[in-house]
Amino acid sequence: MPHSHDAADSIDDALEASAAGVRALKISLFILLGTTLVQFGVFLASGSVALLADTIHNFSDALTAVPLWIAFVLARRLATRHYTYGFGRAEDLAGLFIVAVVALSAVVAGIEAVSRFFHPATVTNLGWVMAAGVIGFAGNEAVALYRIRVGRQIGSAALVADGVHARIDGLTSLSVVIGALGVLLGFPLADPIVGLLIAVSILLLLWGTIRSIGRRLMDGIDPDLVHRAEHALEATPGVVGVTRLQLRWVGHRLQGAAEISVPDTSVAEAESIVHDARHHLAHALPNLDDTVIAITSGAAPPSA
């Protein structure tokens, strides 16, 4: 297919990215819900508070797909006079909601684990508990692989972070197996201890997600993206230097502005250089929707 950088093609790319994100969320939602139902059934039969903590967490993770789903759908809407940059920021707002839900799940799991210290209960069907922990790991790992792959393809930090979060959740599911083994070896407190550790680990790991979302809301950007954009502009024939470069994420799409120095030349030649610069940028940053490029006259670099 011929390569194009028309505005219409950028819109098509954004729509395709949103559709891919929604598809990833749908599939991962059903996988996690299925995992949660299996684990909850085993909890009812066993009474394992560690398994309950993991079940609550997996259920909250499944629910986080809903606000992201809504955000991806909103991102398809065209810009309006009130929202001239479009609705991509809905993805970052969804991230804040995800943080709140996951934090609440950690609190609920922690309270249940602490109460079990004061009101001990016998854990039964330990073989099923260990099997449920393994199922939780397998479900989370499948979701992690899929979300991370799609998130990187479409440039969605929220989806990648959600995938990494699912991978970590898979490891907490394996801790349920450790708790069950402890009970099996004659240490009944292993179950609530593991449940409490899961709750604490959720809160600790949540900090990374908060930093990622906060950076996006403050228009933070990966320095590697800035380096790639600068290199693309500087490699454009006719560009003497890059005097200013700004990039920011709006949802899972990039927007930017740049100021480049060009030799004293005609208006037509300067416009041609700007066109080539945009072309180089589009190749270096496939998620870039629009870049405003201003030009200043500058002397040609001295010959070696």
Side-chain angles (χ1 to χ4, degrees):
M1 298 246 340
H3 193 72
S4 172
H5 303 294
D6 291 341
D9 291 328
S10 294
I11 294 173
D12 289 341
D13 290 343
L15 291 176
E16 288 178 12
S18 295
V22 169
R23 184 166 56 252
L25 290 170
K26 285 180 181 178
I27 294 173
S28 59
L29 171 63
F30 289 119
I31 291 176
L32 286 178
L33 283 178
T35 301
T36 300
L37 288 175
V38 172
Q39 288 187 310
F40 185 68
V42 175
F43 160 72
L44 293 177
S46 65
S48 169
V49 71
L51 182 58
L52 175 61
D54 194 44
T55 303
I56 292 173
H57 191 202
N58 283 331
F59 181 65
S60 70
D61 284 347
L63 289 182
T64 60
V66 176
L68 268 180
W69 188 341
I70 295 173
F72 276 117
V73 172
L74 278 176
R76 299 179 184 181
R77 297 181 59 184
L78 297 177
T80 67
R81 293 184 67 83
H82 282 290
Y83 299 95
T84 54
Y85 281 101
F87 296 85
R89 287 287 191 197
E91 194 173 317
D92 299 319
L93 293 178
L96 292 178
F97 179 80
I98 290 171
V99 168
V101 170
V102 175
L104 179 62
S105 74
V107 172
V108 172
I111 291 174
E112 187 65 27
V114 170
S115 68
R116 190 60 64 91
F117 281 104
F118 299 99
H119 305 91
T122 303
V123 180
T124 59
N125 297 312
L126 293 175
W128 283 105
V129 172
M130 287 187 280
V134 173
I135 290 173
F137 167 77
N140 275 293
E141 182 62 20
V143 167
L145 289 171
Y146 190 41
R147 285 182 175 178
I148 291 173
R149 179 171 62 83
V150 175
R152 286 174 176 169
Q153 285 176 351
I154 68 175
S156 172
L159 195 55
V160 171
D162 224 19
V164 173
H165 188 200
R167 172 160 289 163
I168 296 170
D169 292 344
L171 298 178
T172 63
S173 292
L174 287 181
S175 66
V176 173
V177 178
I178 298 174
L181 285 174
V183 175
L184 192 63
L185 294 174
F187 184 52
L189 285 180
D191 184 64
I193 288 174
V194 169
L196 187 59
L197 288 175
I198 290 175
V200 173
S201 67
I202 294 171
L203 292 176
L204 292 176
L205 296 171
L206 194 60
W207 175 244
T209 305
I210 294 173
R211 288 178 59 191
S212 176
I213 294 172
R215 188 178 296 115
R216 283 291 183 100
L217 290 172
M218 291 295 294
D219 288 336
I221 197 77
D222 185 350
D224 178 62
L225 293 177
V226 179
H227 174 73
R228 285 159 56 185
E230 284 178 338
H231 181 72
L233 290 173
E234 290 169 351
T236 303
V239 174
V240 176
V242 180
T243 56
R244 181 173 63 91
L245 177 63
Q246 294 173 302
L247 292 171
R248 69 171 182 173
W249 287 101
V250 178
H252 53 272
R253 307 297 295 177
L254 277 169
Q255 294 184 349
E259 186 175 278
I260 58 176
S261 296
V262 300
D264 291 330
T265 185
S266 66
V267 173
E269 181 63 25
E271 289 179 350
S272 178
I273 293 173
V274 169
H275 178 271
D276 291 343
R278 283 202 180 95
H279 186 83
H280 279 72
L281 273 178
H283 279 285
L285 303 175
N287 295 320
L288 187 63
D289 274 344
D290 184 37
T291 306
V292 177
I293 299 180
I295 58 174
T296 58
S297 296
S303 57

